[in-house]
Amino acid sequence: MSTLKEILTRRPVAATIRLTVPAGGARPAPPVGPALGQYRLNLMAFCKDFNARTQKYKPDTPMSVTITAFKDNTFEFTVKSPSVTWYLKKAAGIESGSSRPGHLVATTLSVRHIYEIAKIKQSDPYCQYMSLESICKSIIGTASTMGIKVVKDLD
Amino acid sequence: MALRHFFKHLTILTSSYGFCTLSSRFIHPSLTTLFNNINPKTQPLIPTKFSLPLSHCYTSVSHPSTSTLLSPYLSVRIRCPKDIADVFSEALMCFGATSTTVDEDDNCDTSNEICIESIFPESEDVDVCISQAADSVGLKMIPSYEVKTGEHYDWIKKTQESFDPVEVTEGLWIVPEWKTPPDVKATNIILNPGLAFGTGEHPTTRLCLLLLQRLIKGGERFLDYGTGSGILAIAALKFGASFSVGIDIDPLAITSAHHNAALNDIGLENFQLRLVSSNTSSPSTDEHKDIQKQTSFEAVAESEHETYDVIVANILLNPLLELADDIVSHAMPGAGIGLSGILSEQVPCIIDRCSPLLDNISVSEIDDWACLSGTKKLTGN
């Protein structure tokens, strides 16, 4: 975050754009096109850069990317891994969480799933200082707000 | 590995993101059958917990992907208090917006409010989404907003306005169609990239153009693998190649390349473009029946292995790894091959993959991007 501040003081920022783009699938079409085109950013350069940096993810996982557009039509962007809720939904194979979390259980997941998700999340910039155990705990917390129960072993 | 378990339960989640993934070269081949041609509007309702075998092609749409590419979108301007703008935009993304933009205002001291401009797919219910987002953030009342239907024409025009003539190297300029070349005596490539990649500004395009200058001495047959706007194929002809072929899996790229060839007065006798399917890398005529405007292109069955003197592929790491064998199979033994579109950190991976196929491997870099060049081994495949 401190480097972002340095950048902000260096060049005047025109806008901050948040997008969800599938990994390796950025194209000059909506959602990328209209959002970036408005600030005359080089769409193709962004698409190529983004696709190259997300090659290591499974294709089409939705990545959230934050783009800082500067007034001189240049830009910088950071890519975050998909949200925990997305991983949980994919692991459980459900479309959406339970409609009444806390009361109605949508599905169950085993501790192994949580562990795998935590390992992926550990490479996220803001999770790096947390121990794996605390990442797991926060994932379990998110799961319970979605109505997903976590058990030791799935039968 | 537990991640395989994720794959088995993969349901189609693209419907919730409201946009279409086009037949992109960057998608793993087995997934293209799944995500190709899926239009959220015609998609049937999916029961939850339905696990889908990957080879099952879900829906088929008769019109090509260009119509969904340019379908209208909703652009919403929302005014909200400045201190929660960040959190609110994240909430909007969770509830259905495809993008949110927060303007940095110069005169931000005058008012407490800030504008968020958000883009929604046409089918989305904007009221519901905004009220849900406001709820989750803790706003007491729904912020005021106005909805407009955005036309794609606007942003396309704006991005095209930002192209300027660019000098790749001494004596070689890439000039947009609507500008005049600054140096009339230099080699000028006139381009209108449209929606395809390759304007000449990107480091990988530059690396490939510099490589071409070194490799092409005159009279070679050149293959541009993943041609985009056709810039490399056209440049090869300008440097003196005798015959240039550009192939791509994106019909928009082929259209742009065709257009650019016409702009540079290049005729069909030494310049050809082929649309190939993304599943395999050799063109097949049956895939083309669905795509309407291909009558002017030749969908010739590719039987031309080992006929090119120079091949350049400027795509991405994963396609390069998969298609390496195919790329090299089109080259004559001893032919020069260039691979780009890779970050410097991805170079070792490519070198591993290609060292059994290529000799004299060398790497050149600009910024973070790299280009690998080598010659096809004289013995073996």
Side-chain angles (χ1 to χ4, degrees):
Chain A
M1 279 308 267
S2 60
T3 47
L4 190 58
K5 286 213 181 90
E6 284 160 33
I7 295 167
L8 285 175
T9 48
R10 245 197 295 141
R11 285 181 280 183
V13 180
T16 312
I17 308 171
R18 280 186 189 79
L19 290 176
T20 310
V21 195
R27 300 206 48 130
V32 180
L36 269 71
Q38 237 183 340
Y39 295 95
R40 296 173 212 270
L41 302 179
N42 195 339
L43 280 183
M44 272 304 167
F46 169 72
C47 291
K48 188 101 173 175
D49 214 338
F50 174 80
N51 289 333
R53 282 178 211 283
T54 53
Q55 285 291 288
K56 52 183 192 248
Y57 286 96
K58 211 168 276 178
D60 276 346
T61 41
M63 319 287 297
S64 83
V65 52
T66 309
I67 304 160
T68 317
F70 300 104
K71 291 223 158 77
D72 55 353
N73 295 344
T74 53
F75 62 91
E76 303 212 347
F77 68 95
T78 54
V79 183
K80 291 197 285 196
S81 57
S83 62
V84 173
T85 49
W86 187 81
Y87 275 117
L88 287 170
K89 282 187 210 166
K90 208 154 129 330
I94 54 176
E95 272 272 321
S96 60
S98 131
S99 49
R100 292 185 47 197
H103 301 275
L104 207 58
V105 173
T107 183
T108 50
L109 284 180
S110 82
V111 191
R112 274 180 63 230
H113 288 116
I114 309 294
Y115 177 63
E116 293 290 337
I117 298 177
K119 282 215 296 212
I120 300 173
K121 274 284 161 183
Q122 211 181 18
S123 53
D124 230 17
Y126 55 86
C127 289
Q128 263 162 6
Y129 60 89
M130 296 192 340
S131 72
L132 207 58
E133 198 191 328
S134 43
I135 299 180
C136 285
K137 281 196 193 152
S138 83
I139 295 176
I140 295 176
T142 314
S144 64
T145 62
M146 288 170 68
I148 296 180
K149 213 160 79 109
V150 180
V151 292
K152 268 230 150 63
D153 289 301
L154 272 186
D155 28 71
Chain B
M1 170 96 154
L3 284 176
R4 292 221 178 268
H5 183 68
F6 292 166
F7 227 53
K8 275 198 305 196
H9 283 280
L10 181 64
T11 57
I12 299 183
L13 296 176
T14 51
S15 56
S16 56
Y17 301 116
F19 56 83
C20 248
T21 53
L22 305 176
S23 59
S24 158
R25 65 178 78 156
F26 313 130
I27 300 180
H28 191 277
S30 61
L31 283 181
T32 48
T33 52
L34 197 60
F35 291 110
N36 219 350
N37 295 330
I38 291 182
N39 186 337
K41 294 186 189 132
T42 61
Q43 192 176 356
L45 292 173
I46 312 163
T48 57
K49 285 205 178 179
F50 184 64
S51 48
L52 203 60
L54 277 182
S55 53
H56 185 242
C57 187
Y58 214 22
T59 56
S60 61
V61 178
S62 53
H63 35 263
S65 14
T66 45
S67 62
T68 48
L69 164 64
L70 298 176
S71 58
Y73 57 92
L74 296 173
S75 162
V76 183
R77 275 188 94 80
I78 310 173
R79 300 190 65 81
C80 78
K82 213 186 299 169
D83 38 348
I84 56 133
D86 266 347
V87 193
F88 192 47
S89 6
E90 298 269 345
L92 279 172
M93 300 282 295
C94 290
F95 283 105
T98 51
S99 79
T100 60
T101 309
V102 179
D103 267 333
E104 296 288 331
D105 232 343
D106 278 333
N107 50 345
C108 50
D109 303 306
T110 53
S111 73
N112 196 20
E113 297 209 316
I114 201 166
C115 264
I116 301 182
E117 180 131 356
S118 188
I119 295 184
F120 288 82
E122 207 190 8
S123 46
E124 191 76 28
D125 191 346
V126 178
D127 302 326
V128 170
C129 171
I130 294 189
S131 55
Q132 278 179 332
D135 234 2
S136 75
V137 165
L139 277 182
K140 297 288 188 316
M141 16 159 264
I142 300 182
S144 62
Y145 61 93
E146 50 181 83
V147 184
K148 289 185 294 195
T149 311
E151 280 308 319
H152 287 272
Y153 171 73
D154 305 322
W155 62 266
I156 294 180
K157 199 120 198 321
K158 281 204 171 174
T159 43
Q160 294 199 324
E161 279 169 20
S162 61
F163 292 140
D164 285 321
V166 73
E167 181 173 25
V168 176
T169 172
E170 181 117 4
L172 177 64
W173 285 81
I174 316 277
V175 181
E177 181 184 0
W178 47 86
K179 298 246 166 84
T180 53
D183 181 1
V184 191
K185 291 196 292 294
T187 316
N188 289 319
I189 301 178
I190 306 178
L191 260 205
N192 176 0
L195 292 171
F197 182 74
T199 59
E201 297 165 335
H202 200 267
T204 54
T205 318
R206 289 193 176 178
L207 284 167
C208 290
L209 284 169
L210 292 172
L211 180 68
L212 271 187
Q213 263 194 329
R214 283 190 290 130
L215 288 180
I216 301 229
K217 316 262 184 324
E220 284 97 342
R221 288 171 60 89
F222 174 68
L223 176 65
D224 187 0
Y225 205 97
T227 186
S229 61
I231 181 174
L232 295 178
I234 296 172
L237 286 174
K238 297 238 169 182
F239 290 147
S242 64
F243 190 71
S244 229
V245 176
I247 64 179
D248 206 298
I249 56 170
D250 184 2
L252 287 176
I254 300 289
T255 324
S256 304
H258 226 72
H259 184 71
N260 289 324
L263 284 177
N264 286 285
D265 297 321
I266 294 179
L268 282 179
E269 64 276 0
N270 44 10
F271 184 78
Q272 275 183 15
L273 291 164
R274 311 235 175 91
L275 182 66
V276 298
S277 72
S278 49
N279 290 333
T280 62
S281 37
S282 55
S284 55
T285 47
D286 20 319
E287 300 272 339
H288 298 177
K289 283 192 191 120
D290 301 338
I291 302 168
Q292 288 155 347
K293 48 192 170 190
Q294 303 308 322
T295 46
S296 49
F297 306 136
E298 297 150 50
V300 174
E302 184 93 64
S303 56
E304 297 175 357
H305 282 235
E306 305 215 356
T307 56
Y308 293 101
D309 300 299
V310 181
I311 300 183
V312 172
N314 185 5
I315 20 186
L316 285 176
L317 177 70
N318 286 346
L320 281 178
L321 292 175
E322 279 164 37
L323 300 169
D325 291 318
D326 187 73
I327 296 174
V328 176
S329 72
H330 289 300
M332 294 216 272
I337 300 188
L339 305 173
S340 191
I342 42 184
L343 296 167
S344 303
E345 62 206 14
Q346 297 168 339
V347 169
C349 195
I350 289 267
I351 291 187
D352 278 338
R353 178 72 175 82
C354 291
S355 37
L357 302 167
L358 300 178
D359 283 332
N360 306 326
I361 294 183
S362 68
V363 177
S364 49
E365 296 186 14
I366 292 181
D367 294 339
D368 267 341
W369 300 91
C371 176
L372 191 98
S373 66
T375 52
K376 177 169 175 176
K377 285 201 170 158
L378 290 166
T379 57
N381 57 330

